[in-house]
Amino acid sequence: MKTLFTPNAQPPRATFLLMVAGQGLVLLLLWLFYPLRLFPSLGEVFRSLGDLVTTQGLIQELWASMTTALQALSVATMLALLISYLTALPFFRPIAYAASKMRYLTLTGLTFFMALMLSSGHQVKLSVLIFGATVYLVTGMTSVILTTTQEEMDHARTLGMSEWRSFLEVVVLGKLDEMLEVVRQNFAIIWTMITLVETLYQSEGGIGLLLYKQNRYLHLDGVLAIQLVILATGALQDYVFVLLRRVFFPYSVLTAAK
């Protein structure tokens, strides 16, 4: 127990999991026996969740949103990697700088221009999500590249590597694990935007549209049930990204502070 209250301590995995389970159980019991008036009770949320699954197609809507989110993430990651790696060339650095500052733009105004340029609602939804994710990914990825030290580059040069080879080995290949971490952290951006775009373009449905309908008719139990489903989905995605990083880049765990 002492390790749970010691700075930088690493408690046994079983102890940590037991602690997490205990804290979660306490929160559930408080919600069950001492619910706040503002929120529906736990029983109401579970009943609404069952109704959403059986009669309103929650699983199908979640799958529709998931496929759209993964499409947007794939394209945004490729674009962000390209823009970020091009910062090695001074000519392209203003592009990366401008892209990172575009994260301050509001998507409400951009959807209008994208609707004029594109022919279908799906293309508009995908374009909005790709734009929103790309500008945040570029910001994180360029920050990773900027952490490259002079010693790392000099070490590659002393091995007889050219400038391009040094960049490939040190920055591109050497920081892939950190790039994956940036993608993991920014995947949540897409989920925060997807409710907006699915509300604007309702032809393909999605969990955002289902959430909008529940909110519109003040079905607070349904709103909370959907939010919990989104939260659980996001937590599962986080776990998958962490697992992928451990599998493909096991050395990244060794460099973490203990």
Side-chain angles (χ1 to χ4, degrees), residues 80-97 141-142 145-146 148 153 157 162-172 179:
L81 285 173
L82 177 63
I83 294 172
S84 301
Y85 288 146
L86 283 176
T87 57
L89 303 175
F91 179 82
F92 293 102
R93 287 172 191 168
I95 298 177
Y97 179 81
M141 290 176 176
T142 51
I145 292 174
L146 290 175
T148 306
M153 297 301 296
R157 296 183 184 111
S162 64
E163 286 299 317
W164 279 110
R165 179 68 185 279
S166 299
F167 178 78
L168 175 64
E169 295 290 340
V170 176
V171 179
V172 178
M179 293 302 187

Side-chain angles (χ1 to χ4, degrees), residues 184-198:
R184 182 189 71 83
Q185 293 176 4
N186 287 277
F187 196 6
I189 298 296
I190 292 179
W191 281 104
T192 60
M193 296 187 298
I194 204 166
T195 53
L196 167 66
V197 297
E198 287 179 344

Side-chain angles (χ1 to χ4, degrees), residues 127-169:
S127 298
V128 171
L129 293 175
I130 290 170
F131 174 85
T134 300
V135 294
Y136 280 95
L137 287 171
V138 168
T139 303
M141 290 176 176
T142 51
S143 297
V144 168
I145 292 174
L146 290 175
T147 61
T148 306
T149 63
Q150 188 65 43
E151 288 78 8
E152 290 174 317
M153 297 301 296
D154 288 341
H155 177 69
R157 296 183 184 111
T158 57
L159 297 177
M161 298 182 187
S162 64
E163 286 299 317
W164 279 110
R165 179 68 185 279
S166 299
F167 178 78
L168 175 64
E169 295 290 340

Side-chain angles (χ1 to χ4, degrees), residues 61-66 68-69 125 129 191 193-212:
E61 303 294 357
L62 178 61
W63 177 250
S65 297
M66 177 72 74
T68 302
K125 287 198 306 182
L129 293 175
W191 281 104
M193 296 187 298
I194 204 166
T195 53
L196 167 66
V197 297
E198 287 179 344
T199 301
L200 293 175
Y201 300 93
Q202 304 179 3
S203 58
E204 296 180 332
I207 199 169
L209 179 59
L210 192 59
L211 179 62
Y212 169 75

Side-chain angles (χ1 to χ4, degrees), residues 3-24:
T3 57
L4 298 179
F5 300 95
T6 303
N8 301 319
Q10 295 293 321
R13 182 176 179 82
T15 303
F16 183 79
L17 292 176
L18 185 62
M19 177 194 68
V20 173
Q23 292 177 355

